[in-house]
Amino acid sequence: MSTAPSSKKILIVEDEKDILQLVKLYLEKEGYRTVAAMTGTEGLRLVKSERPDLVILDLMLPELDGLEICKKIRTARETALLPIIMLTAKAEEADTVVGLELGADDYVTKPFSPKALVARVKALLRRVERSQEEGPPRYLYGDLVMDLAKHEVTLNNREVPLTAKEFGLLEHLLRNSGRVLTRDVLLNAVWGYDYYGTTRTVDVHIRRLKQKIPLLNDAIVSVKSLGYKLKERDG
């Protein structure tokens, strides 16, 4: 059952006052509750204290930029799945790509139509709701099947024994298929934000996954200086 828009809280982090007020106005006209920040530091504080349902995040901000905020949101377990729409200027295209790699769900280029932004917000929240309603999913990747309800991975209908960390790592890769995930993001998502090991741990577990599931040898690619990506695949 869908939740009414009025129950959804949107955090807007934008240092241009006119844009901030315009976005706020259009969202509130649609029944959303809004909270706002004009600096990166304040935005990150509100992510933690207000627990918004979605963040609209400007790329260029004073004190802490949008990329750094996006990274911090994605590496904290309690906010790892928080939907993020990034606002960028056309000249910041390269940074937009990095933002998507760090985990932003969508981006809008300035100047933009407030109505179009609200439509993106609605679409992203609907996608999140559908995902939550469907419950624990099954991930299919060729002949590989991950069943979260059974906590089981099979390849060609034969179960593959994985440790808890290997299972968590594979789940995160499958859930973000096609997206570059940094070692820090993987480390914090699977081992936890308070884990004090090194990112070398991720490399070791990726190697073990490839040994246990040969299908992943070519499917998981290393992205230089960043991390890993599971190639997108149909089925």
Side-chain angles (χ1 to χ4, degrees), residues 60-111:
M60 301 303 291
L61 291 163
E63 297 178 11
L64 202 63
D65 68 29
L67 294 180
E68 191 60 32
I69 294 172
C70 189
K71 185 177 178 182
K72 288 179 182 296
I73 288 173
R74 285 290 174 258
T75 54
R77 178 168 288 181
E78 63 274 16
T79 57
L81 300 179
L82 178 62
I84 300 171
I85 297 178
M86 196 162 267
L87 302 180
T88 70
K90 208 168 184 63
E92 297 158 358
E93 190 173 355
D95 287 329
T96 301
V97 173
V98 176
L100 293 172
E101 288 172 349
L102 288 176
D105 297 280
D106 200 356
Y107 74 96
V108 175
T109 305
K110 296 177 180 178

Side-chain angles (χ1 to χ4, degrees), residues 134-150:
E134 286 166 1
R138 292 169 81 243
Y139 293 111
L140 307 177
Y141 194 83
D143 295 320
L144 180 71
V145 180
M146 171 176 273
D147 190 320
L148 292 186
K150 294 181 180 177

Side-chain angles (χ1 to χ4, degrees), residues 22-232:
L22 191 62
V23 172
K24 189 175 169 66
L25 176 69
Y26 271 79
L27 285 170
E28 289 176 355
K29 269 172 62 178
E30 291 294 321
Y32 294 104
R33 291 178 293 148
T34 65
V35 284
M38 296 186 70
T39 69
T41 305
E42 176 68 2
L44 193 59
R45 187 188 70 77
L46 290 175
V47 166
K48 296 171 182 174
S49 65
E50 292 288 336
R51 296 299 176 99
D53 296 289
L54 182 144
V55 178
I56 296 172
L57 180 63
D58 189 29
L59 182 61
M60 301 303 291
L61 291 163
E63 297 178 11
L64 202 63
D65 68 29
L67 294 180
E68 191 60 32
I69 294 172
C70 189
K71 185 177 178 182
K72 288 179 182 296
I73 288 173
R74 285 290 174 258
T75 54
R77 178 168 288 181
E78 63 274 16
T79 57
L81 300 179
L82 178 62
I84 300 171
I85 297 178
M86 196 162 267
L87 302 180
T88 70
K90 208 168 184 63
E92 297 158 358
E93 190 173 355
D95 287 329
T96 301
V97 173
V98 176
L100 293 172
E101 288 172 349
L102 288 176
D105 297 280
D106 200 356
Y107 74 96
V108 175
T109 305
K110 296 177 180 178
F112 57 84
S113 155
K115 286 185 179 179
L117 176 59
V118 171
R120 298 278 188 99
V121 167
K122 286 181 178 177
L124 184 51
L125 286 173
R126 275 198 304 269
R127 201 162 80 221
V128 170
E129 282 181 0
R130 277 199 304 271
S131 171
Q132 290 170 345
E133 287 168 1
E134 286 166 1
R138 292 169 81 243
Y139 293 111
L140 307 177
Y141 194 83
D143 295 320
L144 180 71
V145 180
M146 171 176 273
D147 190 320
L148 292 186
K150 294 181 180 177
H151 200 79
E152 179 182 87
V153 173
T154 58
L155 181 63
N156 296 316
N157 297 315
R158 298 184 64 176
E159 187 173 356
V160 180
L162 297 178
T163 66
K165 292 295 184 273
E166 289 165 354
F167 189 94
L169 186 58
L170 181 58
E171 178 193 346
H172 210 69
L173 288 165
L174 288 167
R175 179 152 36 102
N176 294 280
S177 178
R179 176 182 287 172
V180 177
L181 298 170
T182 67
R183 287 176 175 83
D184 282 335
V185 164
L186 289 169
L187 193 68
N188 289 311
V190 179
W191 279 265
Y193 196 60
D194 55 355
Y195 178 73
Y196 291 107
T198 69
T199 53
R200 176 78 180 138
T201 302
V202 175
D203 300 331
V204 170
H205 280 74
I206 289 284
R207 191 163 65 245
R208 287 180 188 163
L209 274 178
K210 289 183 174 186
Q211 288 169 351
K212 290 184 176 183
I213 307 172
L215 169 71
L216 299 177
N217 276 319
D218 295 323
I220 299 176
V221 294
S222 175
V223 181
K224 192 175 180 182
S225 302
L226 274 175
Y228 292 95
K229 177 175 74 171
L230 179 67
K231 294 178 186 174
E232 287 187 284

